[in-house]
Amino acid sequence: MQNSEALALTAALLAAAGDLTQRINDGVVARGFEARPAYGFAFARLAPDGATVTDLATHLGVTKQAASQLVDELVRKGFVERRPHPGDARARLVVLTERGWACTRAAEEAAAEAVQGWVDVLGEREVRALCDRLVRIAPYGRIRPAW
Amino acid sequence: MQNSEALALTAALLAAAGDLTQRINDGVVARGFEARPAYGFAFARLAPDGATVTDLATHLGVTKQAASQLVDELVRKGFVERRPHPGDARARLVVLTERGWACTRAAEEAAAEAVQGWVDVLGEREVRALCDRLVRIAPYGRIRPAW
DNA sequence: AGGATTGGTCAAGTAGCTTGACTATATGGC
DNA sequence: GCCATATAGTCAAGCTACTTGACCAATCCT
């Protein structure tokens, strides 16, 4: 594989990721939520049973201060609330509100819609193969693209 | 394909793109260039024959002011220079200096190195297939992931 | 020729992150 | 049981890379 191809691959990855991210966010906004892309990835971590600020920070690849600010923002908009942590008095458990769940579902719908465009081009099998390979490459990488 | 899978795919794409981007940048820095990830994508546009600030802005998906600031930065670091545009007295052609070319080659090497890690895991055939599919999906999308 | 468009820069404002400093709770060695 | 150390979280300040807005000069269109 030539050197220049590797850069092109990177560019394609970034373009694909950016495109998808923006489509999802547009879809969420179109469904009436005042959101930005980071929300969806935060929700993905918070969804099952909530998480601490530090967990969230690790998941998003930012400092815990930044994660805390994001949580402030989400609280202000009514998507999550901070509760005392059952097993640790220092920590606080951040959990989704009903509105937060609604926004999460909207994000998933929008994501499915955006990916559908790819399925139309490549077919479901190919998209799934793509997905599998990506997961094998970057199983637990930080979400944040960062440049 | 389920809705939640679509979000996971997006996350995997972002993680892969972010991982690759950071590895490339680390590689470039290790080769002695004071660079940030945006440089590589700028160089990709400037490399053949140079480009105007507006071209660059379109390619990177930012305002022309932002692109102009990036060019300022690149000039200050000696990677590019602004020349009068041969066919348009308003425009200026931004071209790579010798140092700029050296940094471009470093970026391509680093990219190849980073992708090699993927080849080791998936095999060359699979990586190439991945690449082809990505290009079919996002042929000329903006580079900038933006969140 | 002259209004509208385009390429570029200057200036100011800002979102979203960072680093640094601090408090409160928890943990582990002795 | 105590103290040193580590961890969860917040507050405050600073900074980077972007944005919007205003503007000038050259070009295009009719």
Side-chain angles (χ1 to χ4, degrees):
Chain A
M1 182 164 288
Q2 293 183 348
N3 287 356
S4 59
E5 288 180 292
L7 257 189
L9 171 57
T10 308
L13 264 173
L14 279 170
D19 180 62
L20 198 49
T21 302
Q22 192 178 338
R23 282 173 192 275
I24 293 172
N25 196 58
D26 289 350
V28 171
V29 169
R31 283 169 174 79
F33 296 94
E34 193 195 345
R36 61 190 178 92
Y39 291 6
F41 301 107
F43 291 164
R45 184 69 187 79
L46 298 175
D49 302 301
T52 66
V53 164
T54 301
D55 288 340
L56 195 57
T58 304
H59 180 245
L60 295 177
V62 297
T63 60
K64 56 186 181 175
Q65 292 90 326
S68 187
Q69 286 173 18
L70 176 61
V71 171
D72 285 344
E73 199 179 319
L74 292 172
V75 168
R76 209 179 322 123
K77 293 188 181 166
F79 293 125
V80 307
E81 50 186 38
R82 290 187 223 250
R83 295 201 181 155
H85 194 288
D88 189 337
R90 295 171 301 179
R92 314 176 72 176
L93 199 58
V94 181
V95 296
L96 292 172
T97 61
E98 192 43 55
R99 181 173 174 72
W101 281 106
C103 188
T104 302
R105 286 189 296 269
E108 290 181 346
E109 282 171 28
E113 228 173 75
V115 170
Q116 186 58 45
W118 293 8
V119 172
D120 293 344
V121 176
L122 296 181
E124 170 127 6
R125 247 176 52 87
E126 294 264 336
V127 172
R128 195 169 293 279
L130 187 72
C131 194
D132 290 346
R133 274 159 206 152
L134 285 172
V135 170
R136 268 194 286 164
I137 288 169
Y140 288 110
R142 296 183 310 168
I143 299 297
R144 186 158 165 257
W147 75 268
Chain B
M1 179 164 291
Q2 294 182 350
N3 287 357
S4 59
E5 289 181 290
L7 257 190
L9 171 58
T10 307
L13 264 174
L14 280 171
D19 180 60
L20 197 50
T21 302
Q22 192 178 337
R23 283 172 192 277
I24 292 172
N25 197 57
D26 290 349
V28 171
V29 170
R31 282 169 175 80
F33 296 95
E34 194 195 343
R36 60 189 179 92
Y39 291 8
F41 301 106
F43 291 164
R45 183 70 186 79
L46 298 175
D49 303 299
T52 65
V53 164
T54 302
D55 288 341
L56 195 57
T58 304
H59 180 245
L60 295 177
V62 297
T63 59
K64 57 186 181 175
Q65 291 92 326
S68 187
Q69 285 174 18
L70 176 60
V71 171
D72 286 344
E73 199 179 321
L74 292 172
V75 168
R76 208 179 323 122
K77 293 189 181 165
F79 293 126
V80 307
E81 49 185 39
R82 291 186 222 250
R83 294 201 180 156
H85 194 288
D88 188 338
R90 296 169 302 178
R92 314 176 71 175
L93 200 58
V94 181
V95 297
L96 292 173
T97 61
E98 192 43 55
R99 181 172 174 73
W101 281 106
C103 188
T104 302
R105 285 189 296 270
E108 289 180 347
E109 281 171 30
E113 229 174 72
V115 170
Q116 187 58 45
W118 293 8
V119 171
D120 292 344
V121 175
L122 297 180
E124 169 127 4
R125 246 177 52 87
E126 294 264 338
V127 171
R128 193 169 293 280
L130 187 72
C131 194
D132 290 346
R133 274 159 207 154
L134 284 172
V135 170
R136 268 195 284 164
I137 287 168
Y140 287 112
R142 295 184 310 168
I143 300 295
R144 187 159 165 256
W147 75 269

